[in-house]
Amino acid sequence: MWATILDQGEQTVVHVVETETDIVGFGSAGDARNEALGTTAEVTSIYLLDSVKRRGIGRALFGSLIRALAKRGHRSAGLWVLLDNQNTRRFYEAMGGRTGTTRIEPGNHGDLHEIAYVWNDLTRFASAD
């Protein structure tokens, strides 16, 4: 997965969260890969270790990805999240995302039922440095 992301070079934004000794999170974003989102940009991954969650780090990471997309000229962004992942869905709702379409993606261990979250106006993030 990371080889594919990093091979895209300037097309992809990759941010890493680290402490003095460890990488504790990461995120990536770029041009939308799926027209169903109805956005020009897509957050393609965001992950934090459980030990650093609920400290504002996820909010900062997500905001930095969205700001980077806005600085590249994107006005809207979206992402996909598992339909049953209520904690993550609440996080994206707290970040101002609105729900969009759903999809079913084939996975290695069965179908993945996902829902889109969409931000139609990235300007509020662009000015939040």
Side-chain angles (χ1 to χ4, degrees), residues 37 39 77-81 88-90 92-93 97-101 115-119:
L37 281 175
T39 62
L79 56 80
W80 297 97
V81 63
T88 301
R89 291 184 61 187
R90 280 192 291 275
Y92 291 128
E93 289 164 8
R98 69 167 176 78
T99 56
T101 189
I115 188 166
Y117 276 83
V118 174
W119 291 261

Side-chain angles (χ1 to χ4, degrees), residues 3-119:
T4 301
I5 290 170
L6 295 174
D7 281 346
Q8 294 176 10
E10 295 292 319
Q11 294 175 327
T12 302
V13 175
V14 177
H15 292 180
V16 176
V17 180
E18 56 188 321
T19 65
E20 291 181 20
T21 57
D22 298 305
I23 293 175
V24 297
F26 61 83
S28 63
D31 294 344
R33 301 177 301 177
N34 187 309
E35 290 182 17
L37 281 175
T39 62
T40 63
E42 181 175 353
V43 175
T44 52
S45 67
I46 189 166
Y47 178 80
L48 289 176
L49 293 177
D50 286 340
S51 61
V52 299
K53 288 182 179 175
R54 305 197 61 78
R55 297 182 185 180
I57 296 169
R59 182 177 293 274
L61 176 59
F62 180 79
S64 72
L65 291 169
I66 295 296
R67 281 191 300 280
L69 293 171
K71 287 178 183 174
R72 290 175 175 218
H74 290 286
R75 294 182 181 193
S76 61
L79 56 80
W80 297 97
V81 63
L82 292 172
L83 194 59
D84 292 336
N85 190 339
Q86 295 302 319
N87 288 338
T88 301
R89 291 184 61 187
R90 280 192 291 275
F91 170 77
Y92 291 128
E93 289 164 8
M95 296 302 297
R98 69 167 176 78
T99 56
T101 189
T102 60
R103 72 178 183 181
I104 299 173
E105 288 289 304
N108 292 335
H109 302 287
D111 290 340
L112 302 174
H113 297 259
E114 298 176 315
I115 188 166
Y117 276 83
V118 174
W119 291 261

Side-chain angles (χ1 to χ4, degrees), residues 113-127:
H113 297 259
E114 298 176 315
I115 188 166
Y117 276 83
V118 174
W119 291 261
N120 287 320
D121 181 10
L122 302 185
T123 57
R124 76 178 185 99
F125 292 95
S127 61

